[in-house]
Amino acid sequence: STAAKPMKVLRAGKFKSMIHEHLPSIKCSIGANLGALYLLDSCFLFLEKPPLVFMYENVDSIYFERNKKNQLTTANSFDFKIKLDNGKSQEFNLIPKKELKNLENWFTAVSE
C-alpha cells in the first residue's frame, strides 16, 4: 500500500466582516458572479462559480479602486485587484464600502 500524502486544510482566520461581524467573509463579485470572499490566514477563497483560491504568498500587489463601472454604486462600493507573481491578476468587485478600512488593515497585517 502506498502512503497517502497529507492534505492541508484551510481554516477560517481572524478576519471578520464589518457588516456581518460573525462571518469570516465579505460579499463581492467576480464579473457577473456574486459570491463570498473568505480571507483566510494563508489565502483568499472565493466561493461561487468558479471557486477560486489565491495564496497570499503568490500575491505581488493589491490595488484598491472606486467602482467606476456604475456611477450609482460609486458611493456604496469599491473594487480591488490582486496582481499575482506570475503576471496574472484578478479583480473583485462591488465590495461594500464599509469593508474598505477593514480590508486595508487585514492586508497590512498578513503582509508583515
Side-chain angles (χ1 to χ4, degrees):
S1 93
T2 58
K5 292 190 338 186
M7 186 179 349
K8 186 172 183 177
V9 176
L10 300 176
R11 296 189 177 140
K14 295 175 183 153
F15 180 85
K16 299 291 182 213
S17 167
M18 290 298 292
I19 297 170
H20 305 287
E21 292 179 12
H22 62 284
L23 294 178
S25 65
I26 56 173
K27 290 185 179 184
C28 71
S29 67
I30 293 179
N33 298 319
L34 185 60
L37 180 65
Y38 289 81
L39 297 143
L40 307 177
D41 286 340
S42 59
C43 66
F44 300 98
L45 173 63
F46 180 77
L47 291 181
E48 188 43 56
K49 297 178 186 175
L52 300 169
V53 176
F54 300 98
M55 302 304 292
Y56 294 143
E57 65 192 38
N58 298 330
V59 175
D60 186 48
S61 55
I62 299 172
Y63 301 95
F64 287 92
E65 301 175 344
R66 284 178 156 196
N67 188 334
K68 300 177 198 98
K69 296 173 188 157
N70 184 343
Q71 293 299 318
L72 294 175
T73 61
T74 299
N76 298 323
S77 67
F78 67 95
D79 303 337
F80 79 87
K81 181 186 286 188
I82 59 171
K83 183 178 176 193
L84 303 171
D85 56 11
N86 65 6
K88 294 182 180 181
S89 63
Q90 180 63 60
E91 189 168 342
F92 299 91
N93 309 106
L94 298 173
I95 301 165
K97 192 172 182 180
K98 289 182 179 182
E99 298 289 3
L100 179 60
K101 193 67 176 166
N102 193 22
L103 285 174
E104 289 175 337
N105 292 340
W106 177 257
F107 293 139
T108 299
V110 297
S111 67
E112 294 176 345

